[in-house]
Amino acid sequence: MLERVRAWLDERVAWNQIAEFLSHKTVPLHRYSYWYFLGGITLFLFGVQVVTGMLLLLYYRPTSNEAFESVQYIMTQVQFGWLVRSIHSWSANLMVFTAIAHMFSVLFLRAYRKPRELTWISGMVLLFLVMGFGFSGYLLPWNTLAFFATKVGTDMVGQMPLVGHKLMIFLRGGEEVSGATLTRFFGFHVALLPGITTLLVAVHLALVQRQGISVPPAIEAEWKASPAARRDMPFFPNFFLREMIAWYVALGVLGALAALAPWELGTKADPFASAPAGIKPEWYFLFMFQTLKLIPAKMWFLDGELVGLAAFGSAGLLWTLLPFFDREGARFGRKWIVGAGIFALAYMSVMTVYAYWAK
Amino acid sequence: MVGLAASGGWLRRLLAAGFLLVAASAWAQAPSSCLDCHSSLDPPKKVTAEQFATDIHAQKGLTCASCHGGDPSKDDDQAMSKAAGFRGHIKRSQVPELCAGCHADAAYMHKYNPSLRTDQLALYKTSVHGQRLAKGDEQVAVCTDCHSVHGIRPASDSRSSVHPLNVATTCSRCHSDAARMKPYSIPTDQFAGYSVSVHHEAQAVRGDLSAPTCTTCHSNHGAAPPGVASVEAVCSTCHVFQAQLFDSSPHKAAFAAAKMPGCVTCHSNHRIQHPTDALLGTGPQSVCTNCHAEGDAGFKVAGTAKEKISGLEAAIESADELLDRAERSGMDVSQAKLSQTQARDALTKARVSIHSVTVERILQDVQAGTKLAEQNLAAGNQALADRDYRRWGLGVSVIVILLTIAGLWLYIREIEGRNRSRPA
Amino acid sequence: MSPEGSEGGNQSLPRRAFVRTLLGSGFLGSLLSFFYPVARYLLPPPTSESSSDEVVAGTVGELKNNTGKIFRFGSKPGLLVRTSDGSYRALSATCTHLDCTVQYRGELQRVWCACHNGMYDLEGRNLSGPPPRPLQPYEVHVRGDEIVVTRSRRS
């Protein structure tokens, strides 16, 4: 039966060729191989987001009058609505975490080297898109925290020189955060960002299939010395089965989080009320938020916040162009990159913890 | 002057216009030589134009002469001549009659403000102030003491000394003055007591202008303390239910016999604090034990009432607590929380029904409230049960997931047992 | 990732069958535990979604003439009154004095607060007693056999 389906497909889309190509896909086996799971988990979580997001779309209403009530409806009246919504919120956070972890693991294993520069760049853009998903999605329940976090976040965008104000108005759909902002963010979150992300994920995956999975330089050296020591695992079925285990674990974690720590509703946003004390953005923006809070209002003749934003902006740009700083033979570049990676990881962790502590 | 008259027509016209302007302005201000002098005198004779301009009488076109007589268009002696009808300083004992000369004339007042009352003098004559004044005591309050003079604002103006928010302060000018009140043997703690009362708080903090102030219970022009028998009637103009319950309670007859005023005996007259449950029952702050002692029927009722009401309060609180807990675990209990407001309403009503001092009557409200609280408690328990059901569902899925993972792992071992890892 | 078995890694048949059964049933179970909630989710619940501005307060015929009932509007109570000529009025039911829930008194044709005897008329105007402000009136429309109450919208 399966054979007939395969034959039918092959006549139309050269299935056998594709299957043949995939059957050769291997995964290098070494002491760092476990890190290879992170990309797949991120992809799995993206799938979870798409499915739960589409389910939420059946009941969610993106207007300032009804958004909060519709989420309340989902949480309390819709059968298993609480499960879908809590999984969506938790998976979003988990996905940001695994995406960042995936990025750092690629950095430390130096998988961005030639010929994989484009994979790194597409991955970095994907990371920014994921954070855009997080920022836009966070507003959708239209509760007090979300409203003010969005206000603060878009205020910071407005601080940028020249384009800042126009960009802020574009994001907000006006001068203030309002129902227009909600409509816009909804459009970003369910149409614009998914469209771009899907394309980029396809590119990112195609590149990985084409170029194979990278081997860290240390291991490369070892295997060069003794070729017989090299081990590879076929992707199908061996590595894939292991990935399934990882995905099931992630699923279990999500279910547990949804049932034991359901995502809260909060209180409906009131644009005329004053911001509650201690407004903070979501955890993955905290390190930037905290940094901006610590920068003095004026540094020499420059506005402090501007300096902070410029620093993060240029850091992001340089990070995206990382592969071009680490060329073959330039050992100097490599040490800098590893150092920068450790510094960034440490800085982000410390600042995030600090932000929670500082309240 | 001849030179001027002979000069060009335009200059003459200019001078004429200027003269007319000055004359017009003087005319518009109603010629008042009074103010010309009196604005530079020392108090109490000092009256400035600015001050008088704020007076409602001035705004309506009346002048100094309207009350004091005389002729303001003349200077000095002629202005203040008897021929011109000058009355000079009005004696305190003559003030009410003077004011009433207009204010009791309905036809006259109709021209200015038809809705103003015109019985102030009649009421005043019934008041303690009026009666003492008639007997020759010039120390009591007359119109100008409360309404001020030369700068009188209508009572609706928040700057007026008789605006509801300011009445108590105005009364206290005399009534909190121990030296002044000594000859009459009137206590002077009323303002102090009122300032910490719920009525004052309603006015000053909540901005409720309908909240009672001195004149609400004592009348303004007919100011007199309500008699012992009528205190309850005064309070009952707002506190209807408490009065009705009191009237059908055993207390009515008992208080009358003991010549104790209703309401005030337990709640005080001026220092009326927000009543708490501590006023009930038989504890140290209870008002019941002021009369009732261990063993009598009233003592028992006091104890029972307190017990029932505290019970209802406790039921509401435990339902609240449970509902909060359910809400924190992510369950929706908004319907039950809404119903809790009705349970709290029942508690408020129960606290009012205390005044019947009859257990059956109090129980009506207590039981209604308890029923609601119990329903909401059940709803809270149901919410927690739903939460547990979810956790049970989670447990099942986790087991299924673990089984699958185990299956995958074993399957991997199996196929890799057959195919060892291939070299590149 | 070590191999098992002695003869080139082959496992006994019952063992293999067990593994396949375990894997199969686990996989099937996880699919079920996914599809079951999703299937239930897809079917809309009986109570329709409420917005903050609109609610179904009752059905036609539920109220007799000259009676009222309390309904829930968001998180606050509302009062639906059917007047003696059969038309409907809806008001906020939270008394403006100290937040007790008001009720309709048919014999007086007034809205009344039992806590301190506050009186309102059917337009919500505070007539007597302690209430300092009127009750907020709502709009009522009859849609089919549903009585729908809406409040004025502000974005």
Side-chain angles (χ1 to χ4, degrees):
Chain A
M1 172 64 180
L2 235 57
E3 185 52 43
R4 290 183 47 188
V5 173
R6 192 214 290 237
W8 189 92
L9 276 175
D10 188 47
E11 283 176 318
R12 288 150 184 77
V13 298
W15 173 252
N16 287 346
Q17 261 186 354
I18 300 173
E20 169 69 15
F21 177 71
L22 286 176
S23 69
H24 289 301
K25 182 175 156 87
T26 60
V27 175
L29 279 185
H30 49 79
R31 57 183 174 279
Y32 302 116
S33 290
Y34 280 108
W35 292 101
Y36 292 144
F37 283 122
L38 281 172
I41 294 180
T42 311
L43 180 66
F44 171 69
L45 292 175
F46 181 64
V48 168
Q49 288 304 88
V50 170
V51 172
T52 53
M54 289 201 273
L55 287 174
L56 288 173
L57 267 178
L58 292 178
Y59 294 103
Y60 175 73
R61 297 192 182 174
T63 65
S64 59
N65 276 335
E66 297 186 296
F68 181 80
E69 281 77 12
S70 65
V71 175
Q72 186 177 38
Y73 185 72
I74 291 171
M75 291 293 280
T76 59
Q77 304 287 341
V78 177
Q79 295 291 326
F80 292 102
W82 58 273
L83 185 65
V84 173
R85 194 252 171 153
S86 284
I87 286 188
H88 193 80
S89 305
W90 274 114
S91 171
N93 280 277
L94 250 57
M95 184 179 166
V96 173
F97 182 76
T98 58
I100 294 177
H102 178 53
M103 181 267 283
F104 274 116
S105 72
V106 166
L107 184 138
F108 288 125
L109 294 178
R110 302 186 57 222
Y112 53 76
R113 292 166 298 148
K114 170 176 169 176
R116 296 180 175 83
E117 300 95 328
L118 287 175
T119 322
W120 171 267
I121 293 178
S122 62
M124 279 304 294
V125 177
L126 278 169
L127 180 61
F128 295 138
L129 286 171
V130 167
M131 294 175 92
F133 267 114
F135 188 63
S136 56
Y138 197 58
L139 180 66
L140 299 184
W142 199 249
N143 55 33
T144 313
L145 275 177
F147 182 84
F148 286 105
T150 306
K151 189 166 185 306
V152 170
T154 45
D155 268 339
M156 293 204 291
V157 167
Q159 298 288 329
M160 293 190 336
L162 298 168
V163 296
H165 191 73
K166 279 246 154 33
L167 195 55
M168 186 189 84
I169 292 195
F170 163 70
L171 286 176
R172 284 185 178 177
E175 288 282 352
E176 298 295 331
V177 175
S178 67
T181 319
L182 183 60
T183 309
R184 233 158 236 251
F185 273 32
F186 181 68
F188 294 152
H189 192 79
V190 309
L192 188 66
L193 289 174
I196 305 178
T197 307
T198 307
L199 276 171
L200 266 180
V201 166
V203 166
H204 193 80
L205 287 179
L207 285 169
V208 171
Q209 303 320 306
R210 203 79 183 84
Q211 295 162 343
I213 296 186
S214 139
V215 180
I219 308 292
E220 256 177 355
E222 282 171 27
W223 285 352
K224 206 160 171 198
S226 52
R230 179 168 184 141
R231 289 272 174 278
D232 286 275
M233 177 189 288
F235 190 83
F236 291 104
N238 306 60
F239 191 79
F240 185 65
L241 285 171
R242 288 173 172 77
E243 268 218 295
M244 294 252 74
I245 294 182
W247 292 7
Y248 267 100
V249 170
L251 199 59
V253 168
L254 279 176
L257 286 169
L260 298 172
W263 210 260
E264 64 158 13
L265 261 180
T267 49
K268 183 167 178 177
D270 178 3
F272 300 109
S274 34
I279 273 291
K280 297 197 292 266
E282 270 293 79
W283 63 270
Y284 38 91
F285 290 121
L286 274 179
F287 72 97
M288 285 191 276
F289 180 71
Q290 192 63 23
T291 308
L292 289 173
K293 283 213 311 201
L294 290 175
I295 293 183
K298 271 240 167 309
M299 293 184 79
W300 309 294
F301 57 91
L302 292 163
D303 178 46
E305 225 172 68
L306 218 53
V307 171
L309 285 173
F312 282 121
S314 33
L317 186 64
L318 290 172
W319 212 261
T320 311
L321 300 173
L322 215 54
F324 303 108
F325 296 116
D326 180 359
R327 296 188 224 249
E328 271 321 311
R331 294 266 228 47
F332 168 78
R334 176 192 158 192
K335 285 217 157 61
W336 272 100
I337 287 176
V338 171
I342 295 177
F343 172 71
L345 194 54
Y347 184 80
M348 284 163 69
S349 318
V350 167
M351 274 300 170
T352 308
V353 170
Y354 182 20
Y356 270 112
W357 229 39
K359 288 264 159 261
Chain B
M1 284 305 263
V2 171
L4 268 163
S7 56
W10 66 269
L11 184 57
R12 218 185 307 149
R13 277 200 281 277
L14 186 63
L15 281 170
F19 178 71
L20 268 172
L21 217 62
V22 171
S25 61
W27 176 76
Q29 265 169 17
S32 182
S33 62
C34 321
L35 289 172
D36 291 341
C37 288
H38 277 272
S39 50
S40 43
L41 292 179
D42 291 325
K45 290 210 183 71
K46 181 182 177 119
V47 182
T48 64
E50 289 81 29
Q51 181 191 358
F52 193 55
T54 65
D55 193 305
I56 182 80
H57 298 109
Q59 289 167 10
K60 295 291 181 189
L62 276 73
T63 66
C64 317
S66 312
C67 295
H68 292 283
D71 190 345
S73 62
K74 305 277 196 303
D75 298 323
D76 266 3
D77 315 314
Q78 288 185 315
M80 296 195 285
S81 70
K82 276 257 163 34
F86 184 64
R87 292 184 60 173
H89 171 74
I90 315 288
K91 272 180 67 173
R92 287 178 63 83
S93 54
Q94 290 168 344
V95 165
E97 296 287 347
L98 175 69
C99 301
C102 295
H103 279 277
D105 184 344
Y108 183 75
M109 291 310 296
H110 192 86
K111 287 194 295 186
Y112 294 98
N113 188 346
S115 61
L116 273 185
R117 297 174 67 134
T118 49
D119 59 353
Q120 295 90 339
L121 183 64
L123 280 169
Y124 182 72
K125 286 187 174 159
T126 67
S127 72
V128 175
H129 299 139
Q131 287 178 348
R132 292 205 99 100
L133 186 72
K135 294 209 191 89
D137 183 351
E138 292 218 340
Q139 294 306 303
V140 294
V142 295
C143 316
T144 50
D145 291 310
C146 296
H147 288 277
S148 83
V149 66
H150 304 135
I152 303 175
R153 295 183 198 270
S156 55
D157 186 328
S158 62
R159 295 163 293 184
S160 161
S161 52
V162 295
H163 178 80
L165 291 177
N166 301 328
V167 162
T169 313
T170 303
C171 302
S172 75
R173 282 212 300 266
C174 294
H175 282 276
S176 294
D177 185 339
R180 221 188 157 89
M181 290 294 117
K182 192 143 176 280
Y184 308 101
S185 308
I186 299 179
T188 48
D189 60 349
Q190 302 92 333
F191 183 65
Y194 177 74
S195 302
V196 299
S197 72
V198 282
H199 291 141
H200 174 78
E201 187 201 322
Q203 255 199 358
V205 172
R206 283 210 310 274
D208 185 355
L209 291 184
S210 70
T213 179
C214 313
T215 50
T216 315
C217 298
H218 291 282
S219 166
N220 44 9
H221 301 109
V228 162
S230 56
V231 164
E232 188 207 334
V234 169
C235 303
S236 73
T237 50
C238 293
H239 296 275
V240 180
F241 294 135
Q242 289 84 337
Q244 280 174 352
L245 288 162
F246 177 83
D247 283 344
S248 49
S249 78
H251 275 169
K252 174 103 177 152
F255 275 43
K259 299 237 186 323
M260 295 198 300
C263 315
V264 166
T265 307
C266 298
H267 289 288
S268 154
N269 44 6
H270 303 111
R271 183 183 288 267
I272 304 174
Q273 307 266 261
H274 191 81
T276 62
D277 285 351
L279 264 65
L280 293 172
T282 53
Q285 289 175 0
S286 156
V287 295
C288 311
T289 49
N290 287 343
C291 296
H292 293 285
E294 179 106 36
D296 71 36
F299 190 85
K300 271 212 286 282
V301 170
T304 312
K306 174 84 189 288
E307 180 200 316
K308 295 291 174 208
I309 292 202
S310 303
L312 174 57
E313 194 179 21
I316 293 177
E317 265 172 26
S318 57
D320 272 338
E321 202 187 60
L322 189 66
L323 289 171
D324 278 338
R325 210 157 31 108
E327 200 173 53
R328 275 197 304 269
S329 346
M331 309 305 297
D332 170 58
V333 287
S334 51
Q335 185 73 35
K337 284 204 155 182
L338 188 72
S339 171
Q340 279 291 89
T341 58
Q342 292 188 302
R344 277 186 278 271
D345 280 356
L347 180 59
T348 306
K349 288 190 208 152
R351 288 178 171 140
V352 169
S353 66
I354 292 293
H355 295 90
S356 67
V357 294
T358 311
V359 173
E360 291 77 42
R361 179 63 188 81
I362 299 170
L363 274 180
Q364 273 174 29
D365 289 311
V366 168
Q367 277 162 355
T370 312
K371 185 159 147 232
L372 285 168
E374 281 170 0
Q375 274 173 3
N376 299 329
L377 192 76
N381 278 321
Q382 178 64 38
L384 287 174
D386 287 341
R387 181 202 61 178
D388 292 339
Y389 168 71
R390 287 185 192 179
R391 294 186 177 176
W392 179 84
L394 169 72
V396 166
S397 352
V398 165
I399 291 175
V400 167
I401 287 176
L402 287 174
L403 282 176
T404 316
I405 291 175
L408 279 168
W409 191 63
L410 288 173
Y411 185 63
I412 289 171
R413 284 180 57 147
E414 180 195 308
I415 60 175
E416 283 175 9
R418 274 188 282 139
N419 312 312
R420 292 169 193 268
S421 41
R422 301 194 302 239
Chain C
M1 302 187 203
S2 56
E4 179 160 292
S6 41
E7 307 158 277
N10 267 343
Q11 295 180 349
S12 57
L13 254 70
R15 170 85 194 227
R16 284 169 59 177
F18 167 71
V19 171
R20 270 166 188 56
T21 321
L22 185 63
L23 188 57
S25 55
F27 191 60
L28 209 65
S30 56
L31 274 180
L32 265 168
S33 68
F34 166 73
F35 280 116
Y36 173 69
V38 170
R40 297 283 303 271
Y41 180 93
L42 291 174
L43 297 170
T47 52
S48 69
E49 186 159 345
S50 62
S51 80
S52 66
D53 295 330
E54 186 181 282
V55 80
V56 173
T59 50
V60 170
E62 186 186 340
L63 281 177
K64 290 214 213 6
N65 277 15
N66 205 28
T67 57
K69 80 170 235 202
I70 297 287
F71 63 94
R72 191 176 91 150
F73 204 155
S75 58
K76 296 273 167 62
L79 178 68
L80 178 68
V81 175
R82 189 172 186 192
T83 60
S84 36
D85 64 10
S87 64
Y88 292 99
R89 292 267 194 293
L91 304 162
S92 157
T94 307
C95 183
T96 56
H97 177 225
L98 291 176
D99 291 347
C100 290
T101 305
V102 302
Q103 56 190 270
Y104 181 65
R105 293 274 296 266
E107 74 275 22
L108 302 171
Q109 304 216 355
R110 294 255 187 270
V111 175
W112 177 64
C113 182
C115 287
H116 303 94
N117 206 30
M119 283 291 193
Y120 303 85
D121 67 11
L122 284 168
E123 319 301 318
R125 282 186 289 254
N126 45 324
L127 299 172
S128 73
R133 288 179 307 279
L135 293 172
Q136 196 198 355
Y138 300 139
E139 282 177 24
V140 189
H141 301 283
V142 177
R143 233 190 264 152
D145 68 338
E146 286 181 336
I147 303 170
V148 178
V149 174
T150 50
R151 71 173 130 223
S152 65
R153 294 172 60 116
R154 231 176 289 143
S155 131

